[in-house]
Amino acid sequence: QVQLVESGGGLVQAGGSLRLSCVASGSILRINVMGWYRQAPGKERELAALITSGGSTRYGDSVTGRFTISRDDAKNTVYLQMNSLKPEDTAVYFCNVPFPVVSAGESDDYWGQGTQVTVSS
């Protein structure tokens, strides 16, 4: 199996920062894309950021300029540095690794369990 384990969520005041981490493990040969999505209560899931194996990035409109995504391929880890946090950033943040190259079985669209980020005003 492929497992994604997120960490770094918590409670922070508006204007503060958090750094989320997601470690992928299992029969992984190569991860092409890693991303972070978020879902607030009563709202649909939305893209926060993603990064390709070549280092190209894409950000959701609501977070661009404030969040930075990065990856460490040696550790199969993706990070999301969140600065200038706003109350509207409050959501469950999910790590996503879509269809990595795996050494056994069929690949899948993998998601972490999510980590709660709460920003107070």
Side-chain angles (χ1 to χ4, degrees), residues 57-70:
T57 58
R58 178 184 177 187
Y59 296 93
D61 290 341
S62 61
V63 310
T64 186
R66 299 185 297 119
F67 291 9
T68 302
I69 190 170
S70 61

Side-chain angles (χ1 to χ4, degrees), residues 3-121:
Q3 298 85 33
L4 305 178
V5 179
E6 301 119 325
S7 62
L11 175 64
V12 65
Q13 292 185 352
S17 298
L18 284 174
R19 187 194 190 211
L20 306 183
S21 299
C22 173
V23 180
S25 62
S27 56
I28 301 170
L29 295 177
R30 181 176 178 84
I31 298 175
N32 297 310
V33 179
M34 307 182 80
W36 289 96
Y37 291 77
R38 67 185 190 181
Q39 187 166 21
K43 296 185 177 181
E44 294 187 346
R45 183 189 65 185
E46 66 176 3
L47 173 71
L50 62 80
I51 184 168
T52 71
S53 60
S56 297
T57 58
R58 178 184 177 187
Y59 296 93
D61 290 341
S62 61
V63 310
T64 186
R66 299 185 297 119
F67 291 9
T68 302
I69 190 170
S70 61
R71 61 191 285 168
D72 185 338
D73 290 336
K75 299 179 179 179
N76 282 337
T77 300
V78 62
Y79 306 95
L80 186 66
Q81 179 66 46
M82 305 185 295
N83 298 326
S84 302
L85 284 163
K86 305 174 182 179
E88 48 264 45
D89 294 319
T90 296
V92 178
Y93 285 71
F94 297 93
C95 179
N96 174 231
V97 176
F99 298 95
V101 179
V102 298
S103 62
E106 295 183 353
S107 190
D108 202 355
D109 190 12
Y110 297 100
W111 293 85
Q113 293 182 332
T115 184
Q116 177 70 47
V117 172
T118 302
V119 184
S120 63
S121 61

